[in-house]
């Protein structure tokens, strides 16, 4: 069983920055960040493969979000810059052991409890 604990969310003004962290009990084949707002499906924003560090991003966050992985500490990060009100969501850390599209939630087996990001205009 993989345990994931997110932190770093908060309330910020548009244009601001945040760094989300996810402490993992173990790093798996692929790690990712998703976000969800009430009434909408969970959206994949960024993923990273543990072995080679290759990344994928949703078009809506490219150039503003950066995912990284500290393999020594088993911590996944998401650096968010130029925040927009539409970035407001609950952000979840996910860990996957199988293949498939890196930004689809069905391809991840383990999930954290989430950390809330709220962006005001």
């Amino acid at each position: 069983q993989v345990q994931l604990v997110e932190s770093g969310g908060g309330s910020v003004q548009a244009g601001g920055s945040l760094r989300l962290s996810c402490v993992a009990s173990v790093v798996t084949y692929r790690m990712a960040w998703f976000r969800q707002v009430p009434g909408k499906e969970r959206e994949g924003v960024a993923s990273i493969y543990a072995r080679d560090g290759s990344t994928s991003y949703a078009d809506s966050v490219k150039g503003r979000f950066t995912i990284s992985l500290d393999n020594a500490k088993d911590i996944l990060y998401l650096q968010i810059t130029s925040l927009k009100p539409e970035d407001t969501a609950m952000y979840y850390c996910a860990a996957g052991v199988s293949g498939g599209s890196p930004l689809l939630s069905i391809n991840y087996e383990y999930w954290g409890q989430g950390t809330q990001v709220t962006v005001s205009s």
Side-chain angles (χ1 to χ4, degrees):
Q1 189 77 6
V2 177
Q3 295 182 334
L4 305 169
V5 180
E6 303 97 332
S7 63
S11 296
V12 296
Q13 290 190 329
S17 300
L18 283 173
R19 188 176 78 160
L20 308 184
S21 300
C22 171
V23 178
S25 59
V26 62
V27 170
T28 60
Y29 166 69
R30 184 172 58 193
M31 308 287 291
W33 287 97
F34 286 75
R35 65 186 180 186
Q36 189 171 26
V37 297
K40 292 190 176 181
E41 291 188 0
R42 195 163 290 189
E43 175 192 20
V45 297
S47 70
I48 186 167
Y49 288 87
R51 185 170 61 181
D52 64 6
S54 58
T55 58
S56 297
Y57 294 93
D59 288 342
S60 59
V61 307
K62 283 180 180 177
R64 300 188 299 121
F65 289 22
T66 303
I67 189 171
S68 61
L69 182 61
D70 185 332
N71 280 296
K73 297 180 179 179
D74 288 351
I75 301 176
L76 181 72
Y77 297 103
L78 185 69
Q79 182 69 47
I80 310 174
T81 61
S82 302
L83 276 158
K84 304 175 181 180
E86 51 264 42
D87 294 321
T88 295
M90 184 71 79
Y91 283 72
Y92 296 92
C93 174
V97 300
S98 57
S101 175
L103 295 180
L104 288 182
S105 59
I106 60 172
N107 295 322
Y108 291 84
E109 293 80 9
Y110 305 100
W111 295 86
Q113 294 300 306
T115 185
Q116 178 69 36
V117 172
T118 302
V119 184
S120 58
S121 58

